[in-house]
Amino acid sequence: MPRVQQALSLLGTSLNEHRQFNPALARKTLRLSMNDMAETLLLPPLLERLEKEAAGVTVESFHVPRDQLAKELAANTLDFALDIPLATAPQLQQQRLHQDRYLCMLRNGHPLAGESSLTLDQYLQLEHIHVSSRRTGPGLADIALNKLGRRRNIKLRVQHYRVAPLVVLRTDLALTVPASLASQYSARLFELPFQIPLMDWHLLWHKNLHEDPANRWLREQLLAVLAV
C-alpha cells in the first residue's frame, strides 16, 4: 500500500505540474501537524492571510507522533509538519521556519521580579514548570544544566505550553519558555543565566509534492507568516 500511495502521489504531482494553482478559487483542506505553541504562533496570522487570499482553504491542525510523520506525509494524509529537523527522513523536504531563544518567566509580583538579572544560583533556587508531552525525561534546560553539573527543582510537569504561563501568573513558579510565547503575557522576563540551544522549528513536506502548485503556494504562505 505505501508503494501504491507513493505512485499515485507521483502521478498527481506530474499532472499538477501542468496546471496552475489559483488560491482565490481553491477548495482544499490544509492538514498540519504541530504542537499547541506552534498553533498559537502560526494559526492566527495564517488564517488572516488565507481569509484574504484563499477563503476556500480550510485548515485542520493535529499532532502526529514524530516517528509517523514521514509515513503520513507520503500517504497524503498530512500536508505539512512543524517540528525539529529530522535527519533520518531523506524522503522529506525541510526548511527552517522559526527560531526563538528561551527566557525565564516569573509573575510581576514575584520576590525576584525586581532584580535586573538572574544569577544561576537564583535560577536554581526557584521551583520550575517543565513542559513536555512525555511522562519522563529531561528538557533542553535540564540537559544544559546537567553539563554544568547542576540540576533545577521541577515542581510541575505539564503537557502544553499554553497552560504553563497561566500557572506562573498565579504562583511563584518559574517557566523557561520561548520568547515569542512569553511576550504575550504581562510578566517579568529574564535572560537565562546559562547557554541553551535556540528553539528551532522546521517546515517538513514530502519530496513528491515539492513541485506541486498547491503545495508550493501553501508552503510560501507558511514560510511568510513565520519568517526566520
Side-chain angles (χ1 to χ4, degrees), residues 175-207:
L175 175 64
T176 301
V177 59
S180 54
L181 179 60
S183 63
Q184 299 180 19
Y185 298 90
S186 177
R188 184 69 174 93
L189 304 178
F190 292 94
E191 297 291 339
L192 293 179
F194 57 97
Q195 293 294 318
I196 184 172
L198 294 173
M199 185 192 72
D200 197 1
W201 275 337
H202 277 57
L203 183 66
L204 296 87
W205 65 96
H206 203 276
K207 286 184 175 180

Side-chain angles (χ1 to χ4, degrees), residues 115-134:
E115 298 289 328
S116 58
S117 62
L118 277 185
T119 67
L120 181 57
D121 285 339
Q122 286 173 323
Y123 179 89
L124 295 174
Q125 288 168 5
L126 295 167
E127 293 183 321
H128 293 265
I129 302 173
H130 178 47
V131 182
S132 175
S133 59
R134 299 173 297 166

Side-chain angles (χ1 to χ4, degrees), residues 20-31:
Q20 294 183 341
F21 175 71
N22 187 338
L25 300 178
R27 296 294 181 269
K28 177 179 174 57
T29 299
L30 171 61
R31 294 155 299 184

Side-chain angles (χ1 to χ4, degrees):
M1 183 58 70
R3 292 181 179 179
V4 172
Q5 290 169 333
Q6 185 174 15
L8 291 173
S9 177
L10 288 170
L11 177 60
T13 300
S14 178
L15 293 173
N16 285 334
E17 286 175 351
H18 301 287
R19 71 168 188 244
Q20 294 183 341
F21 175 71
N22 187 338
L25 300 178
R27 296 294 181 269
K28 177 179 174 57
T29 299
L30 171 61
R31 294 155 299 184
L32 303 167
S33 172
M34 64 182 103
N35 64 19
D36 66 313
M37 185 168 64
E39 287 181 330
T40 300
L41 298 177
L42 177 69
L43 292 182
L46 176 63
L47 268 294
E48 181 182 21
R49 179 177 288 249
L50 292 178
E51 190 176 63
K52 296 176 181 177
E53 301 185 29
V57 174
T58 60
V59 178
E60 294 180 358
S61 173
F62 43 85
H63 181 258
V64 175
R66 193 166 291 151
D67 60 358
Q68 297 295 312
L69 286 176
K71 178 181 177 181
E72 293 227 19
L73 288 166
N76 284 333
T77 55
L78 180 65
D79 295 303
F80 299 98
L82 276 72
D83 212 313
I84 63 173
L86 298 184
T88 58
Q91 69 274 45
L92 300 184
Q93 294 282 114
Q94 307 183 49
Q95 185 169 341
R96 178 177 288 160
L97 183 65
H98 185 69
Q99 270 192 323
D100 209 349
R101 76 188 195 283
Y102 285 87
L103 300 174
C104 180
M105 176 180 176
L106 301 174
R107 67 180 178 90
N108 286 325
H110 192 282
L112 293 179
E115 298 289 328
S116 58
S117 62
L118 277 185
T119 67
L120 181 57
D121 285 339
Q122 286 173 323
Y123 179 89
L124 295 174
Q125 288 168 5
L126 295 167
E127 293 183 321
H128 293 265
I129 302 173
H130 178 47
V131 182
S132 175
S133 59
R134 299 173 297 166
R135 286 188 175 186
T136 60
L140 288 175
D142 303 296
I143 293 171
L145 289 169
N146 287 343
K147 293 178 180 179
L148 300 175
R150 309 297 292 270
R151 183 177 180 180
R152 62 178 180 165
N153 177 18
I154 296 176
K155 181 75 170 181
L156 173 66
R157 189 181 184 104
V158 296
Q159 300 177 69
H160 304 296
Y161 265 109
R162 290 302 297 180
V163 69
L166 302 180
V167 177
V168 169
L169 297 179
R170 300 184 65 168
T171 68
D172 282 345
L173 299 186
L175 175 64
T176 301
V177 59
S180 54
L181 179 60
S183 63
Q184 299 180 19
Y185 298 90
S186 177
R188 184 69 174 93
L189 304 178
F190 292 94
E191 297 291 339
L192 293 179
F194 57 97
Q195 293 294 318
I196 184 172
L198 294 173
M199 185 192 72
D200 197 1
W201 275 337
H202 277 57
L203 183 66
L204 296 87
W205 65 96
H206 203 276
K207 286 184 175 180
N208 290 346
L209 293 174
H210 184 65
E211 298 301 330
D212 176 77
N215 184 281
R216 183 168 59 245
W217 187 86
L218 291 166
R219 189 165 71 236
E220 290 170 354
Q221 310 317 303
L222 291 165
L223 291 169
V225 297
L226 275 185
V228 176

